[in-house]
Amino acid sequence: MIAEALGGKRLLVTGSTGFLGTALVERLVHSVPGCEIVLLVRPGRRSTAEARVRREVLRNDAFDRVRARLGDGFDDEVARRITVIGGDVGTDGLGLDDAGRAALASVDIVIHSAATVAFDSPLDSAVEVNLLGPSRIAETLRAVGSTAHLVAVSTCYVAGNRRGRSPELPLRDQPFTPDVDWRAEVAAARRTRADVEADSRTPDRLARFQKGARSELGAAGVPLLSSKAERLRADWVADELVEAGRARARSLGWPDAYAYTKALGEQALLETRGEIPVTIVRPSIIESALLEPRPGWIRGFRMAEPVIISYARGLLKQFPGIPEGVVDVIPVDLVVGAVLDAAARGSEPEPTIVQVASGAVNPLKYRRLVDLVQSWFGEHPLYDTKGRPIIVPDWSFPARGKVLRQLDRASKVLDRAETVLAKLPLRGTQARWSAQLDETRTDIDRALGYVELYGAYAETEAIFQVDRLLERWSTLDDADRRDFAFDPRVIDWTHYAHHVHLPSIVEHARVRTTAAGTNREQRSTRLRRQVLSPDRHIAAFDLENTLIASNVVDSYSWLATRRLPPDDRLKFVLKTLSEAPGLLALDRRDRGDFLRHFYRRYEGAPLAQLEEDSRELLSGLILTKGFPAGWRRVREHRALGHRTVLITGALDVVVEENLRPLFDEIICARMAVAPDGTWTGELDDAPPTGEARALLMQEYAEAEGLRLEESVAYADSASDLPMLEAVGFPVAVNPETRLSAIARKRGWLVEQWAKSPGGPRPLLPIGPISRSLVRR
C-alpha cells in the first residue's frame, strides 16, 4: 500500500543532510521506485545546495545497498529522480528563487524533517528553525497556491517534564500545558539576540575578549589576536543565547530549548496552517538503525552515544537518572517507516498526530540499559593510551545536582592549576603537563555538558502513548510490514544493544579497541609520513628552540663576552639574568617589539668584527646547542627536493654564512649600518615575526610557483601560529605550553627534538668577542 500510494507522487524533503533526512531519502530511492524527490537544502558558504547533496547525502554509506543494486546506473537514477533546490527554513519565504517556488508548487507531499536538533542550540536560532520553520513551510505552500500534505517531524518531548501518560494529542488539548503566546516568544528571542550582541561590544567585554585571546595565543601578532578575540566574542554571544534558551525552556517545564521550540512550533503550525493538511510525527530519542539501510547505520552521534563512549573510556564515573525510569529509544528506520506511512495515508480533515516511541509498549528501563552497556564493554573493553583495557565502573544513579556539583568542583581545581602552569616557561616534554591538564579539563567540561544537556532526559517519567501508531500498523499488509516497519514491539533490546548499536557507535567513535603493540599505525607515524611526502613543496623552519636550544639573548651573550676578563663576564651574566623577567614579559607581549628593544644593544658594534667572529659562532654556539634530529629533518627535506626556508628573528650575521648550505632561502633580521661601519642598533625592516612570517612565505611561494597548502612549517611557539596556519602541514617542535595545547586540539604533528648529550649547559653562553659590544 505505501509504495503504491507514494508511486507517481512528487515529495519534497527538508533536512536531507541530517540523520533522519538522509534515511528518508535513501528509503524513498530504494523502496518507492515510482516517486520523484525534491530536496530543499541550504547552500553552504562555499558550496551550492547541489554540491552539498552530492557530498553530504548521496555519498553517505546509507546508499551502499542502492549503489550495489544499481551499479553504474546509480548516478543516472538519482539524477532522474532527485531535484535539488536551494532554500532555508530559517528564512521567511524559505529563501526560494522563482525556480524553487515553482518546484514547491509542483509537489504533492512535503516531509519536513529539518531542525536545529542540538539540545544546546542558541535561543534565537532554535526559534527561527524549530518554532517558525513548520509554519513558514505552510505559509509558502499557500503563497504558491499549493495544498500539498505537510508531514512535520516533531518530538515526543514536546510533552515537557510531565509524569505519566502523554497521548497523541495537540498540546492545547493536554492538561498542564503552559499557556504561552508563541508570537511573544519569537519577539522576545529576537530582542535577546540584539541585547546580547550589544552587550558583547561594550568596552569592558571587548577588553576581556582581547585579554582572553592573548592568554591563549600569546604574542601571535595583532591580526591573529584580533581574529581570536572576535571568535571569543561570537562564542560568548552563542553561550549567552544557549543559556537564555535553557533558562526560558526550564521556566516553562521543558528540558531544553529544543523541546521548547518544537512544542511552540507545533502550536504555531496548527494555528497558521490555513487549508494545508497536516500530520505531525513525534519520535522519541532516535538512534541507530535496527535493520535498514543496514543494522547499526548511524549518522553522527546522537544523544546517548557521547555518554556511552565517555563511560566506556572511564571518563564518566556516574550519570544522573532514575533506575526504574524509561529511556525511550527508537531506531531510525522505524521512524522512517512511520513517516512514510503518514505521507502515504494522505490528508485528513483535522491535523493528525502520531507518536513513534517504545516506552509504552516495549520499555527499556534505565537500569537495564546501564547493565547492557556495562556487560558489553566488560567483554569488549576500550583501551587507554598505554594499551591497557579500561575497566568500566559500576554506575550509580545519583541526583543531577550532586553530579553537577562534583564536576564543578573538579573544574575549579583545574582552573587554578592551569593559571599556575600558564605562567611557567614550560616547553617540549615539560609542556605535556599542561597539555595533559588541558585534556583533563576537556574531559570534565564534556562530562559537565553531558549532564546538563542529557540529564533531564534520563530522569524523564513521561510515557509516550502510541495507540494511533499501532492502529495504523494493524492495517498494513505483509509487504508493507517488511518494507516500512515501524512497530516498536519488535525490538529485542539485548540484541539491539549488544549486536547492533554498541558495535556501531564504537566503530564510529574512533577509539582504541585493541591493545598497544598491534599493527595499527600510530597517528604520529602517519603524520610524519605526510610531512615527508615527495609531494610537499616548501619546508619552512623557525630557528630558535626549533633547530637549536638558543635564542637572540644567547647569541648576543656569546658575541658580547668574547675576550672579556672573568670579572666583567660575571658582571655581564648577573646583569643579563636580572633583566630576564622583563625581557621575557616583553617577548610574550610582542615578539617584534622585543627584538627591536633588545637589538638596540648592538648600537656601535663593528660590522667587520662581527662578521669575522660569527664564523666561530657555528662551533661555539649553533652546533653545541643544535638538535641533531632537526638538522637531519632539514637534510631529509632537501633530499626529497623540497625548498628549505629558514625564517628567524635572528640577525643575518648569526645565520647567513653559518646556515646557508642547508637552506635555499634565509629570511632573517638585518641591522642598519652607519657610515663608519658600525651597527646603528636599528633594523632595516620590520623583523620577520608573527603574521609577517606568513606573508613572507606567501610571497616566496608565489614567486617560485609553489603552494603553501602543500608545504610544511616547523616552529615552537604560539607566536609562530600565523606561519604554522599558513601551510597545509604544520609541525610543533618542542612546543611551549600554549602551542602544545593548540597542536593537540588541532591534531598537528608534534616533534620532541633534543640536544646531543654531554654538551655544556651554562646559564648564558659566554665565550672567547670584542669588548666594544658591551655597552657601558
Side-chain angles (χ1 to χ4, degrees):
M1 179 190 76
I2 295 176
E4 290 77 8
L6 296 178
K9 293 292 197 303
R10 191 170 170 85
L11 295 90
L12 182 141
V13 179
T14 70
S16 61
T17 58
F19 178 39
L20 177 59
T22 298
L24 280 164
V25 176
E26 191 277 340
R27 188 75 67 85
L28 286 169
V29 173
H30 181 269
S31 300
V32 189
C35 74
E36 295 182 15
I37 308 162
V38 179
L39 303 181
L40 188 149
V41 176
R42 185 179 68 249
R45 291 182 180 178
R46 298 191 178 114
S47 59
T48 63
E50 292 83 356
R52 287 194 65 197
V53 169
R54 286 193 300 271
R55 183 177 66 251
E56 300 177 37
V57 181
L58 298 176
R59 291 180 186 172
N60 189 275
D61 60 352
F63 287 84
D64 285 353
R65 64 174 180 172
V66 180
R67 287 191 192 88
R69 177 168 58 85
L70 295 176
D72 294 338
F74 176 80
D75 290 340
D76 290 339
E77 176 77 0
V78 297
R80 180 179 65 82
R81 296 182 55 195
I82 296 179
T83 301
V84 180
I85 59 175
D88 184 358
V89 298
T91 303
D92 288 341
L94 305 182
L96 297 175
D97 57 18
D98 290 342
R101 283 188 287 274
L104 181 66
S106 70
V107 303
D108 304 292
I109 301 165
V110 175
I111 300 177
H112 174 49
S113 69
T116 297
V117 297
F119 296 152
D120 57 347
S121 297
L123 173 62
D124 63 319
S125 62
V127 163
E128 294 297 336
V129 176
N130 295 345
L131 196 162
L132 292 174
S135 54
R136 282 194 179 111
I137 290 177
E139 179 184 353
T140 310
L141 284 171
R142 292 198 307 273
V144 298
S146 171
T147 57
H149 178 202
L150 173 57
V151 180
V153 179
S154 183
T155 173
C156 284
Y157 290 92
V158 296
N161 294 324
R162 70 179 67 209
R163 297 182 175 91
R165 290 164 48 88
S166 178
E168 296 166 291
L169 292 173
L171 293 177
R172 63 174 180 244
D173 297 332
Q174 298 187 38
F176 311 114
T177 299
D179 184 12
V180 181
D181 182 347
W182 63 267
R183 291 182 177 84
E185 296 298 303
V186 171
R190 290 171 174 170
R191 283 197 307 271
T192 300
R193 158 66 78 171
D195 292 345
V196 173
E197 286 282 359
D199 191 12
S200 75
R201 289 172 166 81
T202 61
D204 287 346
R205 292 282 183 206
L206 293 174
R208 291 181 193 177
F209 302 140
Q210 291 169 338
K211 182 178 179 181
R214 185 167 291 279
S215 174
E216 185 171 337
L217 300 183
V222 172
L224 205 61
L225 289 171
S226 299
S227 296
K228 181 62 180 180
E230 176 57 20
R231 287 198 298 273
L232 291 176
R233 187 199 68 81
D235 290 345
W236 181 85
V237 169
D239 289 343
E240 289 294 301
L241 289 170
V242 167
E243 186 53 40
R246 185 179 294 147
R248 182 54 177 157
R250 290 175 180 172
S251 74
L252 295 171
W254 281 288
D256 50 44
Y258 172 70
Y260 152 70
T261 52
K262 278 290 193 178
L264 296 187
E266 284 190 17
Q267 294 184 24
L269 174 61
L270 295 179
E271 283 186 28
T272 62
R273 69 182 183 91
E275 299 301 316
I276 301 296
V278 169
T279 300
I280 295 174
V281 178
R282 294 175 182 162
S284 57
I285 300 169
I286 307 177
E287 290 292 352
S288 64
L290 181 64
L291 291 173
E292 297 189 62
R294 61 173 173 79
W297 177 80
I298 194 169
R299 177 166 189 168
F301 269 13
R302 318 316 305 163
M303 190 192 92
E305 290 74 36
V307 177
I308 291 172
I309 292 298
S310 293
Y311 168 71
R313 293 178 60 201
L315 305 177
L316 204 56
K317 308 296 184 184
Q318 53 186 356
F319 198 79
I322 302 169
E324 59 268 51
V326 172
V327 180
D328 206 311
V329 171
I330 193 76
V332 64
D333 46 338
L334 272 61
V335 180
V336 169
V339 169
L340 295 183
D341 173 79
R345 290 178 185 269
S347 59
E348 298 186 23
E350 291 296 323
T352 305
I353 295 175
V354 180
Q355 295 185 158
V356 193
S358 59
V361 294
N362 187 11
L364 173 62
K365 297 295 182 69
Y366 188 30
R367 180 179 292 281
R368 186 182 177 198
L369 173 61
V370 171
D371 290 343
L372 289 171
V373 171
Q374 185 177 34
S375 63
W376 193 84
F377 282 107
E379 295 180 8
H380 309 87
L382 303 185
Y383 289 79
D384 63 18
T385 55
K386 296 181 179 180
R388 299 171 301 193
I390 300 171
I391 307 303
V392 290
D394 290 328
W395 207 335
S396 59
F397 301 90
R400 188 158 27 126
K402 179 182 178 181
V403 179
L404 287 171
R405 287 191 295 272
Q406 290 174 344
L407 291 171
D408 187 58
R409 284 195 297 269
S411 181
K412 289 178 180 177
V413 170
L414 282 176
D415 281 342
R416 290 191 288 270
E418 285 179 327
T419 300
V420 172
L421 281 179
K423 295 180 180 179
L424 299 177
L426 304 177
R427 71 170 53 251
T429 302
Q430 294 172 329
R432 290 179 184 173
W433 303 340
S434 178
Q436 290 169 355
L437 199 66
D438 186 65
E439 189 169 346
T440 303
R441 126 103 42 231
T442 300
D443 290 338
I444 289 177
D445 287 347
R446 187 181 294 125
L448 191 61
Y450 294 158
V451 173
E452 289 179 337
L453 288 177
Y454 308 136
Y457 289 85
E459 296 173 340
T460 296
E461 295 184 77
I463 303 298
F464 307 118
Q465 301 300 297
V466 290
D467 299 338
R468 183 172 287 113
L469 181 80
L470 296 183
E471 186 275 326
R472 293 186 168 201
W473 176 256
S474 68
T475 66
L476 298 185
D477 59 25
D478 291 341
D480 280 342
R481 291 188 176 194
R482 181 193 66 232
D483 295 335
F484 302 95
F486 55 80
D487 183 358
R489 295 170 297 188
V490 304
I491 306 169
D492 178 331
W493 291 117
T494 300
H495 173 81
Y496 178 74
H498 283 184
H499 301 285
V500 177
H501 188 63
L502 294 177
S504 176
I505 67 170
V506 166
E507 177 186 353
H508 285 81
R510 296 180 181 177
V511 290
R512 292 176 180 267
T513 57
T514 57
T518 65
N519 57 5
R520 181 179 178 182
E521 184 179 48
Q522 292 292 320
R523 182 172 159 276
S524 60
T525 302
R526 173 173 53 82
L527 292 174
R528 199 171 290 117
R529 187 175 65 251
Q530 293 173 354
V531 162
L532 292 172
S533 166
D535 297 333
R536 302 292 81 83
H537 290 187
I538 300 170
F541 291 83
D542 178 36
L543 176 64
E544 296 156 348
N545 294 308
T546 301
L547 292 173
I548 61 173
S550 177
N551 52 49
V552 297
V553 178
D554 288 348
S555 57
Y556 173 79
S557 299
W558 194 95
L559 293 169
T561 58
R562 189 173 185 192
R563 301 193 191 101
L564 282 181
D567 289 348
D568 286 347
R569 287 190 186 184
L570 179 61
K571 291 177 183 177
F572 177 89
V573 171
L574 293 175
K575 181 175 183 294
T576 304
L577 290 175
S578 69
E579 295 172 337
L583 293 174
L584 181 61
L586 179 58
D587 188 30
R588 285 180 168 178
R589 284 197 300 273
D590 189 286
R591 179 72 172 168
D593 288 348
F594 163 75
L595 291 176
R596 291 187 187 90
H597 169 79
F598 189 80
Y599 284 158
R600 298 283 190 270
R601 297 167 187 242
Y602 280 100
E603 182 182 353
L607 177 58
Q609 181 70 53
L610 287 168
E611 290 175 340
E612 178 182 342
D613 292 332
S614 68
R615 300 186 188 101
E616 296 184 28
L617 191 67
L618 175 64
S619 59
L621 179 68
I622 295 176
L623 292 181
T624 59
K625 289 213 164 193
F627 302 137
W631 302 125
R632 283 196 299 271
R633 183 61 59 83
V634 177
R635 293 189 181 97
E636 286 181 282
H637 282 291
R638 289 181 69 82
L640 289 165
H642 305 158
R643 298 287 185 89
T644 53
V645 178
L646 179 67
I647 305 183
T648 175
L651 290 165
D652 55 349
V653 73
V654 175
V655 297
E656 274 282 9
E657 185 172 345
N658 293 321
L659 299 179
R660 172 58 68 183
L662 286 173
F663 294 97
D664 297 298
E665 183 76 16
I666 293 180
I667 302 171
C668 58
R670 301 181 185 277
M671 190 76 72
V673 181
D676 63 356
T678 61
W679 272 353
T680 65
E682 298 178 1
L683 297 176
D684 274 336
D685 296 300
T689 62
E691 65 277 8
R693 293 190 173 192
L695 294 174
L696 290 165
M697 287 175 60
Q698 183 178 358
E699 291 173 5
Y700 178 78
E702 290 176 352
E704 300 294 326
L706 304 173
R707 293 164 54 200
L708 289 183
E709 60 267 30
E710 288 294 340
S711 299
V712 187
Y714 296 81
D716 70 292
S717 171
S719 63
D720 300 313
L721 267 178
M723 169 181 170
L724 293 168
E725 292 181 336
V727 299
F729 301 88
V731 182
V733 178
N734 303 336
E736 46 80 36
T737 302
R738 292 189 181 99
L739 183 59
S740 180
I742 293 169
R744 182 188 62 80
K745 289 178 181 177
R746 300 188 185 182
W748 293 351
L749 176 62
V750 176
E751 299 282 19
Q752 302 292 346
W753 293 341
K755 295 189 298 181
S756 295
R761 297 178 181 271
L763 287 175
L764 284 174
I766 56 177
I769 210 169
S770 169
R771 183 189 304 270
S772 63
L773 280 186
V774 181
R775 299 179 62 187
R776 298 180 181 277

